[in-house]
Amino acid sequence: QVQLVESGGGLVQAGGSLRLSCAASGRTFSRYGMGWFRQAPGKEREFVATVSGGGSNTYYRDSVKGRFTISRDNAKNTVYLQMNSLKPEDTAVYYCAARTYNTPARERYEYDYWGQGTQVTVSS
């Protein structure tokens, strides 16, 4: 029902910035809470950031607070993750996710749709 396509990943140097985008094909995008998760080699997928359907409520994992910003443009059916001051430990495949409730969420099981992921590599 909902297709999500991430873009914007790539190789960046430590301290640099990158903006990820997630384009959604859903018909009621503004009703979906959205999230970003990431998975590093050998580790489980972990929560990064989430935003409510209207864009007014956001939450972040502690390690990215002050560096990452999640936002959305409902007119464009797109959610973004602006990543600044990147560190090597941010290296992972980043996934966009959507839930059919408009509230934000921090847990993987609370999401109904997932994108294919985009690789982010931060070199030292």
Side-chain angles (χ1 to χ4, degrees):
Q1 182 181 2
V2 177
Q3 288 77 49
L4 304 172
V5 180
E6 302 97 331
S7 62
L11 174 64
V12 298
Q13 60 184 343
S17 298
L18 203 62
R19 188 179 76 161
L20 305 183
S21 297
C22 174
S25 64
R27 296 169 294 178
T28 54
F29 180 71
S30 64
R31 299 181 186 177
Y32 304 149
M34 301 292 295
W36 286 97
F37 290 75
R38 66 188 182 187
Q39 188 166 22
K43 297 185 177 180
E44 294 187 346
R45 193 170 301 186
E46 65 182 17
F47 166 75
V48 177
T50 183
V51 61
S52 59
S56 60
N57 298 108
T58 60
Y59 298 93
Y60 303 88
R61 72 177 298 109
D62 287 343
S63 62
V64 309
K65 288 180 179 177
R67 300 189 297 121
F68 291 11
T69 302
I70 186 171
S71 62
R72 65 193 297 158
D73 186 339
N74 288 342
K76 297 181 179 179
N77 272 33
T78 302
V79 63
Y80 305 96
L81 185 67
Q82 178 66 47
M83 304 184 293
N84 298 327
S85 301
L86 282 162
K87 304 175 181 180
E89 51 262 46
D90 295 318
T91 295
V93 176
Y94 283 70
Y95 297 89
C96 176
R99 59 190 259 111
T100 53
Y101 295 99
N102 64 10
T103 54
R106 301 174 179 85
E107 303 292 335
R108 288 168 288 174
Y109 67 82
E110 295 180 288
Y111 288 86
D112 303 291
Y113 304 99
W114 294 84
Q116 83 288 350
T118 185
Q119 177 71 48
V120 172
T121 302
V122 184
S123 64
S124 59

